[in-house]
C-alpha cells in the first residue's frame, strides 16, 4: 500500500488521555469475544452477534482490509499497549469523518470511550486535517449520548438516518465536533 492510496499509515499507535490506541493483532483474537459478545453491544452496534472466534477473525480481517482501502481505521483501546479493552473507529465517508467505539462490558465506567474518542478526534484534526468529526447515535443509547456530551459534541441540525440492522429498525442522530 502506498501513501497515495490511503491517508492512513500501515501501522498506527496513538497515545494520550492515559490510553494507547493500537492496531488489532492476531494475539487479540482470543480476547475479542469477551469484549464484543454482549447483548448491549449486539443491540447498539453493527458488530456480529453472536461474536465468537469466527466473528473475531472476520473483524481483524475487516480492519486490515478497510485500512488498506483507505476508508477506516479500527484500533484496540488499551491503557498500556497490551490487553485490548475495546475498539475505536475512524471512518472517512462522504457524509463526514465518523468516529465510533465499543468498550467491553468488564471495562465500562472508566471513561475509556470518551478518552478514546478525544484521542481519535485529535488524530483526525491534526493528522488528517479534517474540520469536523461526527458520531451517529440512537437517542435512546444513553451511554453513547453521554460520551458525545462529555467529549464536546453537539447535536447537529441534519436529517435523521433511518435504517435496519440485524432485523431491528434504528434512527440515528448526528453529533458533531469541530476542529478546535
Amino acid at each position: 500500500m502506498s501513501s497515495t492510496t490511503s491517508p492512513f499509515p500501515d501501522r498506527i499507535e496513538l497515545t494520550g488521555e492515559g490510553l494507547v490506541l493500537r492496531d488489532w493483532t492476531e494475539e487479540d483474537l482470543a480476547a475479542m469475544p469477551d469484549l464484543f459478545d454482549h447483548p448491549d453491544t449486539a443491540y447498539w452496534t453493527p458488530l456480529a452477534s453472536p461474536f465468537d472466534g469466527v466473528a473475531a477473525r472476520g473483524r481483524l480481517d475487516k480492519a486490515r482490509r478497510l485500512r488498506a482501502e483507505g476508508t477506516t481505521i479500527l484500533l484496540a483501546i488499551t491503557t498500556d499497549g497490551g490487553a485490548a479493552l475495546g475498539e475505536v473507529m475512524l471512518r472517512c465517508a462522504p457524509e463526514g469523518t465518523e468516529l465510533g467505539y465499543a468498550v467491553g462490558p468488564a471495562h465500562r465506567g472508566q471513561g475509556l470511550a470518551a478518552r478514546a474518542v478525544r484521542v481519535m478526534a485529535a488524530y483526525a484534526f491534526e493528522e488528517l486535517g479534517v474540520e469536523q468529526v461526527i458520531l451517529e447515535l440512537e437517542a435512546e443509547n444513553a451511554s453513547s449520548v453521554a460520551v458525545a456530551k462529555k467529549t464536546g459534541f453537539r447535536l447537529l441540525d441534519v436529517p435523521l438516518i433511518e435504517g435496519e440492522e440485524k432485523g431491528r429498525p434504528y434512527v440515528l442522530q448526528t453529533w458533531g465536533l469541530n476542529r478546535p
Side-chain angles (χ1 to χ4, degrees), residues 88-91 95-101 113-125 130-137 143-157 173-180:
V88 63
M89 173 204 76
L90 182 146
R91 182 174 70 94
E95 61 273 14
T97 302
E98 179 187 1
L99 303 182
Y101 48 85
R115 292 187 285 156
V117 163
R118 284 192 291 265
V119 171
M120 192 65 96
Y123 173 79
F125 295 140
V130 304
E131 294 300 317
Q132 182 182 63
V133 292
I134 61 172
L135 296 170
E136 295 175 344
L137 310 172
S143 296
S144 283
V145 169
V147 168
K149 290 177 178 179
K150 185 176 182 176
T151 55
F153 281 74
R154 300 283 180 246
L155 188 58
L156 301 179
D157 187 17
Q173 299 174 324
T174 303
W175 294 71
L177 178 68
N178 294 331
R179 174 194 282 271

Side-chain angles (χ1 to χ4, degrees), residues 23-35:
D23 292 313
W24 287 106
T25 68
E26 300 287 329
E27 291 76 29
D28 294 314
L29 290 172
M32 290 172 86
D34 286 338
L35 296 174

Side-chain angles (χ1 to χ4, degrees), residues 43-44 136 138 140 161-166 168-172:
Y43 188 83
W44 296 117
E136 295 175 344
E138 292 183 66
E140 297 81 13
I161 301 164
E162 297 184 45
E164 186 175 311
E165 184 78 34
K166 300 181 217 170
R168 183 180 78 80
Y170 63 80
V171 178
L172 301 175

Side-chain angles (χ1 to χ4, degrees), residues 6 11 19 31 38 52 60 72 83 91 100 103 109 111 122 135 144-146 151 160-161 165:
S6 175
R11 295 191 46 76
L19 298 178
H38 188 271
D52 55 14
L60 179 60
T72 306
R91 182 174 70 94
V103 174
L135 296 170
S144 283
V145 169
T151 55
L160 297 172
I161 301 164
E165 184 78 34

